Structure formats: structure tokens, C-alpha cells
PDB file of all heavy atoms in Angstrom:
ATOM      1  N   LEU A1199      -9.913 -16.201 -17.163  1.00 95.00           N
ATOM      2  CA  LEU A1199     -10.866 -15.095 -17.052  1.00 95.00           C
ATOM      3  C   LEU A1199     -11.486 -14.701 -18.391  1.00 95.00           C
ATOM      4  O   LEU A1199     -12.405 -13.886 -18.429  1.00 95.00           O
ATOM      5  CB  LEU A1199     -10.182 -13.890 -16.413  1.00 95.00           C
ATOM      6  CG  LEU A1199      -9.615 -14.120 -15.009  1.00 95.00           C
ATOM      7  CD1 LEU A1199      -8.810 -12.916 -14.556  1.00 95.00           C
ATOM      8  CD2 LEU A1199     -10.722 -14.456 -14.016  1.00 95.00           C
ATOM      9  N   GLY A1200     -10.973 -15.258 -19.481  1.00 95.00           N
ATOM     10  CA  GLY A1200     -11.513 -14.938 -20.803  1.00 95.00           C
ATOM     11  C   GLY A1200     -11.282 -13.501 -21.211  1.00 95.00           C
ATOM     12  O   GLY A1200     -12.159 -12.874 -21.810  1.00 95.00           O
ATOM     13  N   LEU A1201     -10.102 -12.980 -20.915  1.00 92.00           N
ATOM     14  CA  LEU A1201      -9.826 -11.582 -21.237  1.00 92.00           C
ATOM     15  C   LEU A1201      -9.617 -11.385 -22.728  1.00 92.00           C
ATOM     16  O   LEU A1201      -9.121 -12.263 -23.421  1.00 92.00           O
ATOM     17  CB  LEU A1201      -8.590 -11.100 -20.467  1.00 92.00           C
ATOM     18  CG  LEU A1201      -8.698 -11.173 -18.951  1.00 92.00           C
ATOM     19  CD1 LEU A1201      -7.469 -10.560 -18.308  1.00 92.00           C
ATOM     20  CD2 LEU A1201      -9.954 -10.497 -18.439  1.00 92.00           C
ATOM     21  N   THR A1202      -9.999 -10.221 -23.183  1.00 88.00           N
ATOM     22  CA  THR A1202      -9.847  -9.875 -24.589  1.00 88.00           C
ATOM     23  C   THR A1202      -8.515  -9.164 -24.801  1.00 88.00           C
ATOM     24  O   THR A1202      -7.928  -8.644 -23.846  1.00 88.00           O
ATOM     25  CB  THR A1202     -10.997  -8.946 -25.041  1.00 88.00           C
ATOM     26  OG1 THR A1202     -10.957  -7.749 -24.254  1.00 88.00           O
ATOM     27  CG2 THR A1202     -12.346  -9.618 -24.872  1.00 88.00           C
ATOM     28  N   PRO A1203      -8.037  -9.119 -26.052  1.00 83.00           N
ATOM     29  CA  PRO A1203      -6.803  -8.361 -26.313  1.00 83.00           C
ATOM     30  C   PRO A1203      -6.971  -6.910 -25.834  1.00 83.00           C
ATOM     31  O   PRO A1203      -8.020  -6.307 -26.018  1.00 83.00           O
ATOM     32  CB  PRO A1203      -6.658  -8.425 -27.827  1.00 83.00           C
ATOM     33  CG  PRO A1203      -7.390  -9.673 -28.216  1.00 83.00           C
ATOM     34  CD  PRO A1203      -8.550  -9.769 -27.254  1.00 83.00           C
ATOM     35  N   GLY A1204      -5.952  -6.392 -25.206  1.00 81.00           N
ATOM     36  CA  GLY A1204      -6.018  -5.034 -24.658  1.00 81.00           C
ATOM     37  C   GLY A1204      -6.325  -5.018 -23.180  1.00 81.00           C
ATOM     38  O   GLY A1204      -6.138  -4.005 -22.521  1.00 81.00           O
ATOM     39  N   GLN A1205      -6.818  -6.125 -22.644  1.00 88.00           N
ATOM     40  CA  GLN A1205      -7.066  -6.225 -21.209  1.00 88.00           C
ATOM     41  C   GLN A1205      -5.923  -7.017 -20.575  1.00 88.00           C
ATOM     42  O   GLN A1205      -5.491  -8.022 -21.131  1.00 88.00           O
ATOM     43  CB  GLN A1205      -8.376  -6.948 -20.915  1.00 88.00           C
ATOM     44  CG  GLN A1205      -9.599  -6.204 -21.360  1.00 88.00           C
ATOM     45  CD  GLN A1205     -10.868  -6.971 -21.029  1.00 88.00           C
ATOM     46  OE1 GLN A1205     -10.925  -8.181 -21.173  1.00 88.00           O
ATOM     47  NE2 GLN A1205     -11.880  -6.254 -20.589  1.00 88.00           N
ATOM     48  N   GLU A1206      -5.467  -6.553 -19.431  1.00 90.00           N
ATOM     49  CA  GLU A1206      -4.377  -7.234 -18.744  1.00 90.00           C
ATOM     50  C   GLU A1206      -4.585  -7.152 -17.238  1.00 90.00           C
ATOM     51  O   GLU A1206      -4.919  -6.090 -16.717  1.00 90.00           O
ATOM     52  CB  GLU A1206      -3.039  -6.575 -19.092  1.00 90.00           C
ATOM     53  CG  GLU A1206      -1.866  -7.182 -18.396  1.00 90.00           C
ATOM     54  CD  GLU A1206      -0.575  -6.410 -18.620  1.00 90.00           C
ATOM     55  OE1 GLU A1206      -0.555  -5.449 -19.401  1.00 90.00           O
ATOM     56  OE2 GLU A1206       0.417  -6.772 -17.977  1.00 90.00           O
ATOM     57  N   VAL A1207      -4.404  -8.276 -16.556  1.00 94.00           N
ATOM     58  CA  VAL A1207      -4.448  -8.266 -15.095  1.00 94.00           C
ATOM     59  C   VAL A1207      -3.147  -7.643 -14.616  1.00 94.00           C
ATOM     60  O   VAL A1207      -2.070  -8.168 -14.862  1.00 94.00           O
ATOM     61  CB  VAL A1207      -4.608  -9.683 -14.511  1.00 94.00           C
ATOM     62  CG1 VAL A1207      -4.574  -9.625 -12.983  1.00 94.00           C
ATOM     63  CG2 VAL A1207      -5.895 -10.343 -14.989  1.00 94.00           C
ATOM     64  N   CYS A1208      -3.256  -6.503 -13.944  1.00 93.00           N
ATOM     65  CA  CYS A1208      -2.072  -5.807 -13.432  1.00 93.00           C
ATOM     66  C   CYS A1208      -1.880  -6.030 -11.941  1.00 93.00           C
ATOM     67  O   CYS A1208      -0.753  -6.127 -11.467  1.00 93.00           O
ATOM     68  CB  CYS A1208      -2.176  -4.316 -13.712  1.00 93.00           C
ATOM     69  SG  CYS A1208      -2.138  -3.936 -15.463  1.00 93.00           S
ATOM     70  N   LEU A1209      -2.975  -6.066 -11.212  1.00 94.00           N
ATOM     71  CA  LEU A1209      -2.942  -6.242  -9.764  1.00 94.00           C
ATOM     72  C   LEU A1209      -4.090  -7.148  -9.359  1.00 94.00           C
ATOM     73  O   LEU A1209      -5.082  -7.264 -10.083  1.00 94.00           O
ATOM     74  CB  LEU A1209      -3.101  -4.897  -9.042  1.00 94.00           C
ATOM     75  CG  LEU A1209      -2.031  -3.844  -9.279  1.00 94.00           C
ATOM     76  CD1 LEU A1209      -2.493  -2.483  -8.759  1.00 94.00           C
ATOM     77  CD2 LEU A1209      -0.734  -4.246  -8.625  1.00 94.00           C
ATOM     78  N   VAL A1210      -3.950  -7.748  -8.199  1.00 96.00           N
ATOM     79  CA  VAL A1210      -5.027  -8.537  -7.608  1.00 96.00           C
ATOM     80  C   VAL A1210      -5.167  -8.070  -6.170  1.00 96.00           C
ATOM     81  O   VAL A1210      -4.164  -7.869  -5.474  1.00 96.00           O
ATOM     82  CB  VAL A1210      -4.714 -10.048  -7.646  1.00 96.00           C
ATOM     83  CG1 VAL A1210      -5.828 -10.849  -6.986  1.00 96.00           C
ATOM     84  CG2 VAL A1210      -4.483 -10.521  -9.083  1.00 96.00           C
ATOM     85  N   VAL A1211      -6.404  -7.890  -5.731  1.00 97.00           N
ATOM     86  CA  VAL A1211      -6.652  -7.505  -4.344  1.00 97.00           C
ATOM     87  C   VAL A1211      -7.382  -8.649  -3.661  1.00 97.00           C
ATOM     88  O   VAL A1211      -8.475  -9.042  -4.084  1.00 97.00           O
ATOM     89  CB  VAL A1211      -7.497  -6.211  -4.256  1.00 97.00           C
ATOM     90  CG1 VAL A1211      -7.781  -5.859  -2.788  1.00 97.00           C
ATOM     91  CG2 VAL A1211      -6.802  -5.053  -4.952  1.00 97.00           C
ATOM     92  N   ALA A1212      -6.746  -9.217  -2.628  1.00 97.00           N
ATOM     93  CA  ALA A1212      -7.408 -10.204  -1.778  1.00 97.00           C
ATOM     94  C   ALA A1212      -8.243  -9.423  -0.775  1.00 97.00           C
ATOM     95  O   ALA A1212      -7.799  -8.402  -0.240  1.00 97.00           O
ATOM     96  CB  ALA A1212      -6.370 -11.060  -1.067  1.00 97.00           C
ATOM     97  N   MET A1213      -9.471  -9.903  -0.519  1.00 98.00           N
ATOM     98  CA  MET A1213     -10.379  -9.169   0.368  1.00 98.00           C
ATOM     99  C   MET A1213     -11.132 -10.132   1.266  1.00 98.00           C
ATOM    100  O   MET A1213     -11.537 -11.207   0.816  1.00 98.00           O
ATOM    101  CB  MET A1213     -11.373  -8.354  -0.467  1.00 98.00           C
ATOM    102  CG  MET A1213     -12.409  -7.601   0.347  1.00 98.00           C
ATOM    103  SD  MET A1213     -13.626  -6.754  -0.688  1.00 98.00           S
ATOM    104  CE  MET A1213     -12.705  -5.277  -1.113  1.00 98.00           C
ATOM    105  N   GLY A1214     -11.313  -9.728   2.499  1.00 97.00           N
ATOM    106  CA  GLY A1214     -12.093 -10.511   3.454  1.00 97.00           C
ATOM    107  C   GLY A1214     -11.948  -9.918   4.836  1.00 97.00           C
ATOM    108  O   GLY A1214     -11.454  -8.796   5.007  1.00 97.00           O
ATOM    109  N   TYR A1215     -12.354 -10.694   5.826  1.00 96.00           N
ATOM    110  CA  TYR A1215     -12.242 -10.261   7.215  1.00 96.00           C
ATOM    111  C   TYR A1215     -10.947 -10.809   7.796  1.00 96.00           C
ATOM    112  O   TYR A1215     -10.664 -12.003   7.670  1.00 96.00           O
ATOM    113  CB  TYR A1215     -13.450 -10.730   8.022  1.00 96.00           C
ATOM    114  CG  TYR A1215     -14.731 -10.117   7.520  1.00 96.00           C
ATOM    115  CD1 TYR A1215     -15.548 -10.810   6.632  1.00 96.00           C
ATOM    116  CD2 TYR A1215     -15.091  -8.826   7.898  1.00 96.00           C
ATOM    117  CE1 TYR A1215     -16.709 -10.240   6.146  1.00 96.00           C
ATOM    118  CE2 TYR A1215     -16.253  -8.244   7.411  1.00 96.00           C
ATOM    119  CZ  TYR A1215     -17.056  -8.955   6.533  1.00 96.00           C
ATOM    120  OH  TYR A1215     -18.199  -8.377   6.043  1.00 96.00           O
ATOM    121  N   ALA A1216     -10.163  -9.947   8.398  1.00 93.00           N
ATOM    122  CA  ALA A1216      -8.862 -10.349   8.936  1.00 93.00           C
ATOM    123  C   ALA A1216      -9.018 -11.402  10.023  1.00 93.00           C
ATOM    124  O   ALA A1216      -9.925 -11.332  10.852  1.00 93.00           O
ATOM    125  CB  ALA A1216      -8.130  -9.128   9.497  1.00 93.00           C
ATOM    126  N   ASP A1217      -8.131 -12.385   9.981  1.00 90.00           N
ATOM    127  CA  ASP A1217      -8.121 -13.443  10.977  1.00 90.00           C
ATOM    128  C   ASP A1217      -6.819 -13.418  11.766  1.00 90.00           C
ATOM    129  O   ASP A1217      -6.419 -14.398  12.359  1.00 90.00           O
ATOM    130  CB  ASP A1217      -8.285 -14.818  10.310  1.00 90.00           C
ATOM    131  CG  ASP A1217      -8.562 -15.914  11.325  1.00 90.00           C
ATOM    132  OD1 ASP A1217      -9.143 -15.614  12.382  1.00 90.00           O
ATOM    133  OD2 ASP A1217      -8.182 -17.072  11.057  1.00 90.00           O
ATOM    134  N   ASP A1218      -6.149 -12.306  11.753  1.00 75.00           N
ATOM    135  CA  ASP A1218      -4.906 -12.199  12.502  1.00 75.00           C
ATOM    136  C   ASP A1218      -4.958 -10.959  13.391  1.00 75.00           C
ATOM    137  O   ASP A1218      -5.787 -10.092  13.214  1.00 75.00           O
ATOM    138  CB  ASP A1218      -3.690 -12.173  11.580  1.00 75.00           C
ATOM    139  CG  ASP A1218      -3.748 -11.054  10.546  1.00 75.00           C
ATOM    140  OD1 ASP A1218      -4.773 -10.362  10.441  1.00 75.00           O
ATOM    141  OD2 ASP A1218      -2.755 -10.865   9.825  1.00 75.00           O
ATOM    142  N   VAL A1219      -4.081 -10.925  14.321  1.00 72.00           N
ATOM    143  CA  VAL A1219      -4.008  -9.790  15.242  1.00 72.00           C
ATOM    144  C   VAL A1219      -3.150  -8.714  14.591  1.00 72.00           C
ATOM    145  O   VAL A1219      -2.025  -8.985  14.167  1.00 72.00           O
ATOM    146  CB  VAL A1219      -3.395 -10.228  16.587  1.00 72.00           C
ATOM    147  CG1 VAL A1219      -3.264  -9.046  17.526  1.00 72.00           C
ATOM    148  CG2 VAL A1219      -4.235 -11.341  17.189  1.00 72.00           C
ATOM    149  N   PRO A1220      -3.669  -7.494  14.484  1.00 69.00           N
ATOM    150  CA  PRO A1220      -2.864  -6.435  13.867  1.00 69.00           C
ATOM    151  C   PRO A1220      -1.628  -6.138  14.707  1.00 69.00           C
ATOM    152  O   PRO A1220      -1.666  -6.239  15.936  1.00 69.00           O
ATOM    153  CB  PRO A1220      -3.805  -5.237  13.825  1.00 69.00           C
ATOM    154  CG  PRO A1220      -4.868  -5.517  14.806  1.00 69.00           C
ATOM    155  CD  PRO A1220      -4.956  -7.009  14.948  1.00 69.00           C
ATOM    156  N   PRO A1221      -0.534  -5.793  14.035  1.00 66.00           N
ATOM    157  CA  PRO A1221       0.666  -5.427  14.789  1.00 66.00           C
ATOM    158  C   PRO A1221       0.408  -4.179  15.623  1.00 66.00           C
ATOM    159  O   PRO A1221      -0.436  -3.364  15.278  1.00 66.00           O
ATOM    160  CB  PRO A1221       1.709  -5.162  13.703  1.00 66.00           C
ATOM    161  CG  PRO A1221       0.930  -4.951  12.447  1.00 66.00           C
ATOM    162  CD  PRO A1221      -0.377  -5.659  12.606  1.00 66.00           C
ATOM    163  N   ALA A1222       1.142  -4.082  16.723  1.00 63.00           N
ATOM    164  CA  ALA A1222       0.969  -2.929  17.613  1.00 63.00           C
ATOM    165  C   ALA A1222       1.227  -1.619  16.872  1.00 63.00           C
ATOM    166  O   ALA A1222       0.544  -0.635  17.071  1.00 63.00           O
ATOM    167  CB  ALA A1222       1.897  -3.059  18.806  1.00 63.00           C
ATOM    168  N   SER A1223       2.241  -1.616  16.020  1.00 71.00           N
ATOM    169  CA  SER A1223       2.526  -0.420  15.233  1.00 71.00           C
ATOM    170  C   SER A1223       3.281  -0.833  13.978  1.00 71.00           C
ATOM    171  O   SER A1223       3.841  -1.918  13.907  1.00 71.00           O
ATOM    172  CB  SER A1223       3.358   0.581  16.046  1.00 71.00           C
ATOM    173  OG  SER A1223       4.631   0.041  16.302  1.00 71.00           O
ATOM    174  N   ARG A1224       3.263   0.059  13.011  1.00 76.00           N
ATOM    175  CA  ARG A1224       4.005  -0.177  11.778  1.00 76.00           C
ATOM    176  C   ARG A1224       5.162   0.799  11.750  1.00 76.00           C
ATOM    177  O   ARG A1224       5.004   1.971  12.064  1.00 76.00           O
ATOM    178  CB  ARG A1224       3.113   0.051  10.556  1.00 76.00           C
ATOM    179  CG  ARG A1224       2.002  -0.956  10.455  1.00 76.00           C
ATOM    180  CD  ARG A1224       1.195  -0.734   9.206  1.00 76.00           C
ATOM    181  NE  ARG A1224       0.526   0.568   9.271  1.00 76.00           N
ATOM    182  CZ  ARG A1224      -0.205   1.076   8.299  1.00 76.00           C
ATOM    183  NH1 ARG A1224      -0.337   0.427   7.182  1.00 76.00           N
ATOM    184  NH2 ARG A1224      -0.786   2.240   8.419  1.00 76.00           N
ATOM    185  N   GLU A1225       6.296   0.311  11.345  1.00 85.00           N
ATOM    186  CA  GLU A1225       7.467   1.183  11.231  1.00 85.00           C
ATOM    187  C   GLU A1225       7.289   2.077  10.013  1.00 85.00           C
ATOM    188  O   GLU A1225       7.058   1.598   8.911  1.00 85.00           O
ATOM    189  CB  GLU A1225       8.732   0.337  11.082  1.00 85.00           C
ATOM    190  CG  GLU A1225       9.003  -0.541  12.275  1.00 85.00           C
ATOM    191  CD  GLU A1225      10.265  -0.152  12.986  1.00 85.00           C
ATOM    192  OE1 GLU A1225      11.035   0.663  12.453  1.00 85.00           O
ATOM    193  OE2 GLU A1225      10.467  -0.678  14.087  1.00 85.00           O
ATOM    194  N   ARG A1226       7.376   3.344  10.224  1.00 86.00           N
ATOM    195  CA  ARG A1226       7.292   4.316   9.148  1.00 86.00           C
ATOM    196  C   ARG A1226       8.347   5.386   9.393  1.00 86.00           C
ATOM    197  O   ARG A1226       8.624   5.749  10.534  1.00 86.00           O
ATOM    198  CB  ARG A1226       5.914   4.983   9.081  1.00 86.00           C
ATOM    199  CG  ARG A1226       4.788   4.063   8.664  1.00 86.00           C
ATOM    200  CD  ARG A1226       4.936   3.717   7.201  1.00 86.00           C
ATOM    201  NE  ARG A1226       3.798   3.008   6.669  1.00 86.00           N
ATOM    202  CZ  ARG A1226       3.784   1.708   6.412  1.00 86.00           C
ATOM    203  NH1 ARG A1226       4.829   0.963   6.663  1.00 86.00           N
ATOM    204  NH2 ARG A1226       2.716   1.140   5.883  1.00 86.00           N
ATOM    205  N   LEU A1227       8.924   5.880   8.316  1.00 91.00           N
ATOM    206  CA  LEU A1227       9.848   7.005   8.438  1.00 91.00           C
ATOM    207  C   LEU A1227       9.078   8.209   8.952  1.00 91.00           C
ATOM    208  O   LEU A1227       7.889   8.370   8.664  1.00 91.00           O
ATOM    209  CB  LEU A1227      10.479   7.312   7.086  1.00 91.00           C
ATOM    210  CG  LEU A1227      11.359   6.217   6.486  1.00 91.00           C
ATOM    211  CD1 LEU A1227      11.784   6.599   5.066  1.00 91.00           C
ATOM    212  CD2 LEU A1227      12.575   5.961   7.354  1.00 91.00           C
ATOM    213  N   SER A1228       9.758   9.072   9.673  1.00 90.00           N
ATOM    214  CA  SER A1228       9.108  10.280  10.176  1.00 90.00           C
ATOM    215  C   SER A1228       8.876  11.243   9.018  1.00 90.00           C
ATOM    216  O   SER A1228       9.522  11.160   7.963  1.00 90.00           O
ATOM    217  CB  SER A1228       9.972  10.950  11.246  1.00 90.00           C
ATOM    218  OG  SER A1228      11.118  11.530  10.640  1.00 90.00           O
ATOM    219  N   LEU A1229       7.985  12.175   9.222  1.00 92.00           N
ATOM    220  CA  LEU A1229       7.698  13.190   8.217  1.00 92.00           C
ATOM    221  C   LEU A1229       8.957  13.992   7.893  1.00 92.00           C
ATOM    222  O   LEU A1229       9.222  14.303   6.730  1.00 92.00           O
ATOM    223  CB  LEU A1229       6.576  14.102   8.708  1.00 92.00           C
ATOM    224  CG  LEU A1229       5.962  15.055   7.704  1.00 92.00           C
ATOM    225  CD1 LEU A1229       5.465  14.318   6.459  1.00 92.00           C
ATOM    226  CD2 LEU A1229       4.832  15.830   8.333  1.00 92.00           C
ATOM    227  N   GLU A1230       9.759  14.278   8.902  1.00 92.00           N
ATOM    228  CA  GLU A1230      10.999  15.031   8.691  1.00 92.00           C
ATOM    229  C   GLU A1230      11.978  14.271   7.795  1.00 92.00           C
ATOM    230  O   GLU A1230      12.778  14.862   7.075  1.00 92.00           O
ATOM    231  CB  GLU A1230      11.675  15.361  10.035  1.00 92.00           C
ATOM    232  CG  GLU A1230      10.906  16.345  10.895  1.00 92.00           C
ATOM    233  CD  GLU A1230       9.708  15.700  11.609  1.00 92.00           C
ATOM    234  OE1 GLU A1230       9.690  14.461  11.797  1.00 92.00           O
ATOM    235  OE2 GLU A1230       8.772  16.437  11.956  1.00 92.00           O
ATOM    236  N   GLU A1231      11.937  12.936   7.838  1.00 92.00           N
ATOM    237  CA  GLU A1231      12.850  12.121   7.035  1.00 92.00           C
ATOM    238  C   GLU A1231      12.438  12.044   5.563  1.00 92.00           C
ATOM    239  O   GLU A1231      13.267  11.768   4.705  1.00 92.00           O
ATOM    240  CB  GLU A1231      12.931  10.698   7.594  1.00 92.00           C
ATOM    241  CG  GLU A1231      13.609  10.598   8.941  1.00 92.00           C
ATOM    242  CD  GLU A1231      13.525   9.207   9.510  1.00 92.00           C
ATOM    243  OE1 GLU A1231      12.418   8.793   9.920  1.00 92.00           O
ATOM    244  OE2 GLU A1231      14.578   8.527   9.529  1.00 92.00           O
ATOM    245  N   ILE A1232      11.177  12.301   5.286  1.00 92.00           N
ATOM    246  CA  ILE A1232      10.716  12.117   3.902  1.00 92.00           C
ATOM    247  C   ILE A1232      10.271  13.397   3.210  1.00 92.00           C
ATOM    248  O   ILE A1232       9.981  13.389   2.023  1.00 92.00           O
ATOM    249  CB  ILE A1232       9.555  11.103   3.841  1.00 92.00           C
ATOM    250  CG1 ILE A1232       8.323  11.636   4.591  1.00 92.00           C
ATOM    251  CG2 ILE A1232       9.992   9.748   4.361  1.00 92.00           C
ATOM    252  CD1 ILE A1232       7.054  10.933   4.260  1.00 92.00           C
ATOM    253  N   CYS A1233      10.220  14.501   3.934  1.00 92.00           N
ATOM    254  CA  CYS A1233       9.670  15.730   3.361  1.00 92.00           C
ATOM    255  C   CYS A1233      10.662  16.882   3.469  1.00 92.00           C
ATOM    256  O   CYS A1233      11.289  17.093   4.508  1.00 92.00           O
ATOM    257  CB  CYS A1233       8.379  16.099   4.085  1.00 92.00           C
ATOM    258  SG  CYS A1233       7.630  17.614   3.477  1.00 92.00           S
ATOM    259  N   GLN A1234      10.774  17.622   2.396  1.00 90.00           N
ATOM    260  CA  GLN A1234      11.630  18.805   2.380  1.00 90.00           C
ATOM    261  C   GLN A1234      10.911  19.861   1.544  1.00 90.00           C
ATOM    262  O   GLN A1234      10.393  19.567   0.472  1.00 90.00           O
ATOM    263  CB  GLN A1234      12.976  18.452   1.751  1.00 90.00           C
ATOM    264  CG  GLN A1234      13.972  19.563   1.743  1.00 90.00           C
ATOM    265  CD  GLN A1234      15.298  19.119   1.114  1.00 90.00           C
ATOM    266  OE1 GLN A1234      15.384  18.075   0.491  1.00 90.00           O
ATOM    267  NE2 GLN A1234      16.300  19.939   1.275  1.00 90.00           N
ATOM    268  N   PHE A1235      10.873  21.070   2.019  1.00 91.00           N
ATOM    269  CA  PHE A1235      10.260  22.168   1.283  1.00 91.00           C
ATOM    270  C   PHE A1235      11.331  22.958   0.542  1.00 91.00           C
ATOM    271  O   PHE A1235      12.384  23.261   1.091  1.00 91.00           O
ATOM    272  CB  PHE A1235       9.515  23.116   2.238  1.00 91.00           C
ATOM    273  CG  PHE A1235       8.206  22.581   2.722  1.00 91.00           C
ATOM    274  CD1 PHE A1235       8.135  21.782   3.850  1.00 91.00           C
ATOM    275  CD2 PHE A1235       7.030  22.864   2.038  1.00 91.00           C
ATOM    276  CE1 PHE A1235       6.934  21.282   4.305  1.00 91.00           C
ATOM    277  CE2 PHE A1235       5.811  22.374   2.473  1.00 91.00           C
ATOM    278  CZ  PHE A1235       5.757  21.581   3.614  1.00 91.00           C
ATOM    279  N   ASN A1236      11.072  23.291  -0.687  1.00 90.00           N
ATOM    280  CA  ASN A1236      11.911  24.167  -1.495  1.00 90.00           C
ATOM    281  C   ASN A1236      13.394  23.816  -1.433  1.00 90.00           C
ATOM    282  O   ASN A1236      14.224  24.647  -1.042  1.00 90.00           O
ATOM    283  CB  ASN A1236      11.708  25.628  -1.083  1.00 90.00           C
ATOM    284  CG  ASN A1236      10.251  26.031  -1.120  1.00 90.00           C
ATOM    285  OD1 ASN A1236       9.568  25.756  -2.096  1.00 90.00           O
ATOM    286  ND2 ASN A1236       9.770  26.651  -0.064  1.00 90.00           N
ATOM    287  N   PRO A1237      13.760  22.613  -1.821  1.00 88.00           N
ATOM    288  CA  PRO A1237      15.180  22.214  -1.726  1.00 88.00           C
ATOM    289  C   PRO A1237      16.050  23.135  -2.593  1.00 88.00           C
ATOM    290  O   PRO A1237      15.676  23.534  -3.679  1.00 88.00           O
ATOM    291  CB  PRO A1237      15.184  20.779  -2.246  1.00 88.00           C
ATOM    292  CG  PRO A1237      13.965  20.669  -3.089  1.00 88.00           C
ATOM    293  CD  PRO A1237      12.956  21.605  -2.474  1.00 88.00           C
TER     294      PRO A1237
END
């Protein structure tokens, strides 16, 4: 890429149109499992 000192590739994002079927749902913790007010 011809990067100069001080520049660093930290992440790469692949982008395009999806060619797969999305999963019916994604497993996620419930809000109650991850959130607490004023512990």
C-alpha cells in the first residue's frame, strides 16, 4: 500500500453484496444479563 511511517493498517473491512442466507436469529445476551444500574 506504500504506507508512510506513522500509518498502520489496524482493521480491514470486506464489503459487497451478501451471497448467503442470513441466520434466522443471532444469539445475544438479554439486556438484564448485561446491564445494571447503580451497582
Side-chain angles (χ1 to χ4, degrees):
L1199 300 173
L1201 300 185
T1202 60
Q1205 293 180 319
E1206 178 187 355
V1207 177
C1208 294
L1209 298 167
V1210 178
V1211 178
M1213 177 184 279
Y1215 297 97
D1217 192 29
D1218 56 353
V1219 178
S1223 66
R1224 294 183 296 177
E1225 298 245 350
R1226 292 289 189 255
L1227 296 173
S1228 71
L1229 191 54
E1230 292 77 22
E1231 292 174 289
I1232 64 163
C1233 179
Q1234 183 179 13
F1235 284 88
N1236 306 312

